[in-house]
Amino acid sequence: NRTKILGTVENLAYTRGWTYMKDAVEEAIVLFRSKPLTTQARLLMLITDGNPNPISQTPCDFKLALDILGVEVMIVGVGASWTRSLLECLVDEPDDIVEAAAFDMDEFAKLRDE
C-alpha cells in the first residue's frame, strides 16, 4: 500500500551522482525475471531528482518487458531538476508519478498522507 511504500522511502539514504535510470531499470528486470511469478504484486519504485543522464540512459525501452513481467511502476520525482514527460513512458496512470519538493522527511510524510 502507498503508506507502507512511502514510509520505506522516508528511510532511504540520499546519494548524489549521475542518473543511470536505464541501467537501474534493466537490473530490476533481471531481478524480477529471477523470481517466480506469484500472486503478490510486483512494484518497481523509481525515485529520482534528475533526468536520464546521459540521455542514452532513458528507460522507456523497458516498458514492454515490465508489462510482460507484471511489474507496476511508481515514480517519485524529487525537486525541480527532473522532467515528468521523460518518465511518463514507464507508468500506466498519471497518478503513478508523485512529486516531492525535496529529499526531506516532511516532504515524504506529505506524500504518505495524500
Side-chain angles (χ1 to χ4, degrees), residues 21-23 25 46 52 56-63 66 86-87 89-90:
M21 287 182 201
K22 183 176 183 179
D23 292 351
V25 173
L46 178 63
S56 62
Q57 282 294 311
T58 181
C60 293
D61 293 343
F62 293 120
K63 174 63 171 144
L66 292 166
L86 294 176
L87 301 176
C89 58
L90 290 177

PDB file of all heavy atoms in Angstrom, residues 21-23 25 46 52 56-63 66 86-87 89-90:
ATOM      1  N   MET A  21      19.262   5.698 -15.099  1.00  0.00           N
ATOM      2  CA  MET A  21      17.945   5.067 -14.979  1.00  0.00           C
ATOM      3  C   MET A  21      17.825   3.785 -15.795  1.00  0.00           C
ATOM      4  O   MET A  21      17.247   2.801 -15.327  1.00  0.00           O
ATOM      5  CB  MET A  21      16.858   6.041 -15.410  1.00  0.00           C
ATOM      6  CG  MET A  21      16.610   7.123 -14.430  1.00  0.00           C
ATOM      7  SD  MET A  21      15.278   8.169 -15.022  1.00  0.00           S
ATOM      8  CE  MET A  21      15.629   9.629 -14.082  1.00  0.00           C
ATOM      9  N   LYS A  22      18.336   3.798 -17.002  1.00  0.00           N
ATOM     10  CA  LYS A  22      18.224   2.613 -17.852  1.00  0.00           C
ATOM     11  C   LYS A  22      18.922   1.429 -17.195  1.00  0.00           C
ATOM     12  O   LYS A  22      18.364   0.330 -17.130  1.00  0.00           O
ATOM     13  CB  LYS A  22      18.820   2.888 -19.233  1.00  0.00           C
ATOM     14  CG  LYS A  22      18.674   1.745 -20.199  1.00  0.00           C
ATOM     15  CD  LYS A  22      19.208   2.134 -21.575  1.00  0.00           C
ATOM     16  CE  LYS A  22      19.006   1.016 -22.574  1.00  0.00           C
ATOM     17  NZ  LYS A  22      19.497   1.398 -23.906  1.00  0.00           N
ATOM     18  N   ASP A  23      20.119   1.646 -16.681  1.00  0.00           N
ATOM     19  CA  ASP A  23      20.851   0.575 -16.010  1.00  0.00           C
ATOM     20  C   ASP A  23      20.087   0.076 -14.791  1.00  0.00           C
ATOM     21  O   ASP A  23      20.013  -1.132 -14.533  1.00  0.00           O
ATOM     22  CB  ASP A  23      22.235   1.049 -15.583  1.00  0.00           C
ATOM     23  CG  ASP A  23      23.167   1.320 -16.761  1.00  0.00           C
ATOM     24  OD1 ASP A  23      22.817   0.986 -17.906  1.00  0.00           O
ATOM     25  OD2 ASP A  23      24.255   1.882 -16.521  1.00  0.00           O
ATOM     26  N   VAL A  25      16.770   0.246 -14.170  1.00  0.00           N
ATOM     27  CA  VAL A  25      15.554  -0.484 -14.563  1.00  0.00           C
ATOM     28  C   VAL A  25      15.919  -1.844 -15.154  1.00  0.00           C
ATOM     29  O   VAL A  25      15.262  -2.851 -14.876  1.00  0.00           O
ATOM     30  CB  VAL A  25      14.699   0.360 -15.539  1.00  0.00           C
ATOM     31  CG1 VAL A  25      13.538  -0.457 -16.091  1.00  0.00           C
ATOM     32  CG2 VAL A  25      14.186   1.617 -14.837  1.00  0.00           C
ATOM     33  N   LEU A  46      10.798   3.973  -8.678  1.00  0.00           N
ATOM     34  CA  LEU A  46      11.926   4.747  -9.172  1.00  0.00           C
ATOM     35  C   LEU A  46      11.881   6.110  -8.494  1.00  0.00           C
ATOM     36  O   LEU A  46      10.912   6.851  -8.641  1.00  0.00           O
ATOM     37  CB  LEU A  46      11.823   4.891 -10.690  1.00  0.00           C
ATOM     38  CG  LEU A  46      12.884   5.710 -11.390  1.00  0.00           C
ATOM     39  CD1 LEU A  46      14.256   5.059 -11.223  1.00  0.00           C
ATOM     40  CD2 LEU A  46      12.552   5.843 -12.867  1.00  0.00           C
ATOM     41  N   PRO A  52      17.268  11.177 -17.100  1.00  0.00           N
ATOM     42  CA  PRO A  52      18.254  10.194 -17.556  1.00  0.00           C
ATOM     43  C   PRO A  52      19.517  10.924 -18.014  1.00  0.00           C
ATOM     44  O   PRO A  52      19.454  11.830 -18.842  1.00  0.00           O
ATOM     45  CB  PRO A  52      17.549   9.508 -18.725  1.00  0.00           C
ATOM     46  CG  PRO A  52      16.097   9.685 -18.455  1.00  0.00           C
ATOM     47  CD  PRO A  52      15.983  11.026 -17.780  1.00  0.00           C
ATOM     48  N   SER A  56      21.260   8.676 -23.154  1.00  0.00           N
ATOM     49  CA  SER A  56      21.167   7.270 -23.562  1.00  0.00           C
ATOM     50  C   SER A  56      20.641   6.400 -22.422  1.00  0.00           C
ATOM     51  O   SER A  56      20.319   5.233 -22.634  1.00  0.00           O
ATOM     52  CB  SER A  56      22.537   6.755 -24.016  1.00  0.00           C
ATOM     53  OG  SER A  56      23.472   6.826 -22.944  1.00  0.00           O
ATOM     54  N   GLN A  57      20.509   6.962 -21.243  1.00  0.00           N
ATOM     55  CA  GLN A  57      20.012   6.230 -20.081  1.00  0.00           C
ATOM     56  C   GLN A  57      18.490   6.287 -19.937  1.00  0.00           C
ATOM     57  O   GLN A  57      17.955   5.922 -18.903  1.00  0.00           O
ATOM     58  CB  GLN A  57      20.685   6.752 -18.808  1.00  0.00           C
ATOM     59  CG  GLN A  57      22.079   6.246 -18.620  1.00  0.00           C
ATOM     60  CD  GLN A  57      22.097   4.749 -18.373  1.00  0.00           C
ATOM     61  OE1 GLN A  57      21.372   4.220 -17.547  1.00  0.00           O
ATOM     62  NE2 GLN A  57      22.931   4.046 -19.130  1.00  0.00           N
ATOM     63  N   THR A  58      17.779   6.708 -20.976  1.00  0.00           N
ATOM     64  CA  THR A  58      16.325   6.698 -20.891  1.00  0.00           C
ATOM     65  C   THR A  58      15.841   5.253 -20.742  1.00  0.00           C
ATOM     66  O   THR A  58      16.272   4.362 -21.467  1.00  0.00           O
ATOM     67  CB  THR A  58      15.669   7.381 -22.111  1.00  0.00           C
ATOM     68  OG1 THR A  58      14.243   7.338 -21.926  1.00  0.00           O
ATOM     69  CG2 THR A  58      16.017   6.711 -23.408  1.00  0.00           C
ATOM     70  N   PRO A  59      14.946   4.992 -19.780  1.00  0.00           N
ATOM     71  CA  PRO A  59      14.498   3.627 -19.522  1.00  0.00           C
ATOM     72  C   PRO A  59      13.245   3.224 -20.301  1.00  0.00           C
ATOM     73  O   PRO A  59      12.740   2.118 -20.123  1.00  0.00           O
ATOM     74  CB  PRO A  59      14.199   3.658 -18.021  1.00  0.00           C
ATOM     75  CG  PRO A  59      13.715   5.050 -17.790  1.00  0.00           C
ATOM     76  CD  PRO A  59      14.529   5.914 -18.733  1.00  0.00           C
ATOM     77  N   CYS A  60      12.757   4.077 -21.187  1.00  0.00           N
ATOM     78  CA  CYS A  60      11.472   3.837 -21.851  1.00  0.00           C
ATOM     79  C   CYS A  60      11.415   2.525 -22.644  1.00  0.00           C
ATOM     80  O   CYS A  60      10.360   1.919 -22.746  1.00  0.00           O
ATOM     81  CB  CYS A  60      11.125   5.010 -22.759  1.00  0.00           C
ATOM     82  SG  CYS A  60      10.795   6.526 -21.827  1.00  0.00           S
ATOM     83  N   ASP A  61      12.543   2.078 -23.165  1.00  0.00           N
ATOM     84  CA  ASP A  61      12.560   0.837 -23.944  1.00  0.00           C
ATOM     85  C   ASP A  61      12.174  -0.386 -23.122  1.00  0.00           C
ATOM     86  O   ASP A  61      11.871  -1.435 -23.685  1.00  0.00           O
ATOM     87  CB  ASP A  61      13.951   0.599 -24.548  1.00  0.00           C
ATOM     88  CG  ASP A  61      14.311   1.625 -25.605  1.00  0.00           C
ATOM     89  OD1 ASP A  61      13.408   2.319 -26.111  1.00  0.00           O
ATOM     90  OD2 ASP A  61      15.512   1.733 -25.923  1.00  0.00           O
ATOM     91  N   PHE A  62      12.170  -0.271 -21.803  1.00  0.00           N
ATOM     92  CA  PHE A  62      11.889  -1.417 -20.945  1.00  0.00           C
ATOM     93  C   PHE A  62      10.423  -1.525 -20.520  1.00  0.00           C
ATOM     94  O   PHE A  62      10.064  -2.432 -19.768  1.00  0.00           O
ATOM     95  CB  PHE A  62      12.790  -1.397 -19.713  1.00  0.00           C
ATOM     96  CG  PHE A  62      14.238  -1.613 -20.041  1.00  0.00           C
ATOM     97  CD1 PHE A  62      15.180  -0.665 -19.739  1.00  0.00           C
ATOM     98  CD2 PHE A  62      14.645  -2.780 -20.666  1.00  0.00           C
ATOM     99  CE1 PHE A  62      16.516  -0.862 -20.040  1.00  0.00           C
ATOM    100  CE2 PHE A  62      15.987  -2.987 -20.975  1.00  0.00           C
ATOM    101  CZ  PHE A  62      16.915  -2.029 -20.663  1.00  0.00           C
ATOM    102  N   LYS A  63       9.570  -0.633 -20.985  1.00  0.00           N
ATOM    103  CA  LYS A  63       8.156  -0.661 -20.578  1.00  0.00           C
ATOM    104  C   LYS A  63       7.502  -1.993 -20.923  1.00  0.00           C
ATOM    105  O   LYS A  63       6.801  -2.593 -20.094  1.00  0.00           O
ATOM    106  CB  LYS A  63       7.399   0.504 -21.228  1.00  0.00           C
ATOM    107  CG  LYS A  63       5.903   0.497 -20.983  1.00  0.00           C
ATOM    108  CD  LYS A  63       5.549   0.640 -19.534  1.00  0.00           C
ATOM    109  CE  LYS A  63       4.039   0.849 -19.366  1.00  0.00           C
ATOM    110  NZ  LYS A  63       3.514   0.201 -18.188  1.00  0.00           N
ATOM    111  N   LEU A  66       8.591  -4.766 -18.584  1.00  0.00           N
ATOM    112  CA  LEU A  66       7.962  -4.606 -17.276  1.00  0.00           C
ATOM    113  C   LEU A  66       6.509  -5.066 -17.311  1.00  0.00           C
ATOM    114  O   LEU A  66       6.037  -5.752 -16.391  1.00  0.00           O
ATOM    115  CB  LEU A  66       8.059  -3.148 -16.820  1.00  0.00           C
ATOM    116  CG  LEU A  66       9.467  -2.651 -16.492  1.00  0.00           C
ATOM    117  CD1 LEU A  66       9.490  -1.126 -16.400  1.00  0.00           C
ATOM    118  CD2 LEU A  66       9.975  -3.274 -15.200  1.00  0.00           C
ATOM    119  N   LEU A  86       9.750  12.837 -19.432  1.00  0.00           N
ATOM    120  CA  LEU A  86      10.780  11.875 -19.799  1.00  0.00           C
ATOM    121  C   LEU A  86      10.578  10.518 -19.121  1.00  0.00           C
ATOM    122  O   LEU A  86      11.215   9.541 -19.504  1.00  0.00           O
ATOM    123  CB  LEU A  86      12.172  12.415 -19.449  1.00  0.00           C
ATOM    124  CG  LEU A  86      12.630  13.633 -20.240  1.00  0.00           C
ATOM    125  CD1 LEU A  86      13.977  14.117 -19.726  1.00  0.00           C
ATOM    126  CD2 LEU A  86      12.700  13.322 -21.724  1.00  0.00           C
ATOM    127  N   LEU A  87       9.691  10.472 -18.119  1.00  0.00           N
ATOM    128  CA  LEU A  87       9.480   9.235 -17.366  1.00  0.00           C
ATOM    129  C   LEU A  87       8.067   8.684 -17.474  1.00  0.00           C
ATOM    130  O   LEU A  87       7.805   7.557 -17.064  1.00  0.00           O
ATOM    131  CB  LEU A  87       9.833   9.462 -15.895  1.00  0.00           C
ATOM    132  CG  LEU A  87      11.260   9.914 -15.645  1.00  0.00           C
ATOM    133  CD1 LEU A  87      11.468  10.208 -14.173  1.00  0.00           C
ATOM    134  CD2 LEU A  87      12.240   8.870 -16.135  1.00  0.00           C
ATOM    135  N   CYS A  89       6.628   7.443 -19.781  1.00  0.00           N
ATOM    136  CA  CYS A  89       6.616   6.241 -20.607  1.00  0.00           C
ATOM    137  C   CYS A  89       6.596   4.964 -19.777  1.00  0.00           C
ATOM    138  O   CYS A  89       6.186   3.907 -20.278  1.00  0.00           O
ATOM    139  CB  CYS A  89       7.836   6.228 -21.521  1.00  0.00           C
ATOM    140  SG  CYS A  89       9.405   6.299 -20.599  1.00  0.00           S
ATOM    141  N   LEU A  90       6.993   5.025 -18.515  1.00  0.00           N
ATOM    142  CA  LEU A  90       7.090   3.826 -17.683  1.00  0.00           C
ATOM    143  C   LEU A  90       5.830   3.504 -16.886  1.00  0.00           C
ATOM    144  O   LEU A  90       5.690   2.400 -16.388  1.00  0.00           O
ATOM    145  CB  LEU A  90       8.251   3.963 -16.692  1.00  0.00           C
ATOM    146  CG  LEU A  90       9.650   3.928 -17.277  1.00  0.00           C
ATOM    147  CD1 LEU A  90      10.677   4.145 -16.168  1.00  0.00           C
ATOM    148  CD2 LEU A  90       9.908   2.621 -17.997  1.00  0.00           C
TER     149      LEU A  90
END
